[in-house]
Amino acid sequence: MISTFSFAQVNCKIEYYSGEDGLAHSSVTAVVKDQDGFMWLGTWNGLNRFDGKNFKTYKPTLKGNSYLESKRIVQILDGENNLLWIKTYDKQIYWFDKKTEEFASLSTIIEERYKKKIPFNKILKVSKDYVRLGSVER
């Protein structure tokens, strides 16, 4: 029995981006494409949105309620209602509202309700409307 395989040559273009191009940090630890076509990159120095040409960096500010304790982002999930779910290096969960461009700490809400800080290890999208947060805590 003789079989032959034929492979098509794949054409691709690789581009490199750095801080000089607007990327917040060279260590990119999370990437997701949202429903609007933007690429969101989690770095060790905040959140970046990439439109195919330009980067925009989002960091919490002291004005208003925008809050992000750790700028080291390790997971991003595109959610409903213009929200990104974000897990940081310190195992805490945040929302980022793409319309208001503000962070909100879900971990703080959970901590206030259960009277303890819970370390999360994963964000899982179960369906269009549901997300599960994984933790080793009870």
Side-chain angles (χ1 to χ4, degrees), residues 29-30 73-77 85-88 121-124:
T29 52
I73 296 170
V74 296
Q75 185 182 4
I76 306 170
L77 190 136
W85 292 76
I86 295 172
K87 183 174 84 81
T88 55
N121 55 17
K122 194 74 171 169
I123 308 169
L124 301 166

Side-chain angles (χ1 to χ4, degrees), residues 53-71:
K53 293 185 181 185
N54 300 303
F55 289 95
K56 183 170 183 179
T57 300
Y58 297 95
K59 294 181 187 177
T61 60
L62 295 176
K63 60 182 179 179
N65 294 327
S66 190
Y67 179 76
L68 186 68
E69 192 169 322
S70 172
K71 292 187 256 180

Side-chain angles (χ1 to χ4, degrees), residues 83-129:
L83 293 178
L84 293 177
W85 292 76
I86 295 172
K87 183 174 84 81
T88 55
Y89 183 77
D90 60 352
K91 298 185 178 193
Q92 298 303 291
I93 303 293
Y94 298 86
W95 287 308
F96 179 76
D97 187 321
K98 295 184 277 185
K99 282 190 176 184
T100 64
E101 299 183 341
E102 291 184 340
F103 295 94
S105 174
L106 178 59
S107 289
T108 300
I109 295 168
I110 293 168
E111 184 178 345
E112 288 172 1
R113 179 170 180 163
Y114 294 102
K115 308 297 185 224
K116 68 177 185 175
K117 194 169 194 167
I118 298 173
F120 294 97
N121 55 17
K122 194 74 171 169
I123 308 169
L124 301 166
K125 191 168 192 171
V126 177
S127 69
K128 180 183 172 204
D129 298 322

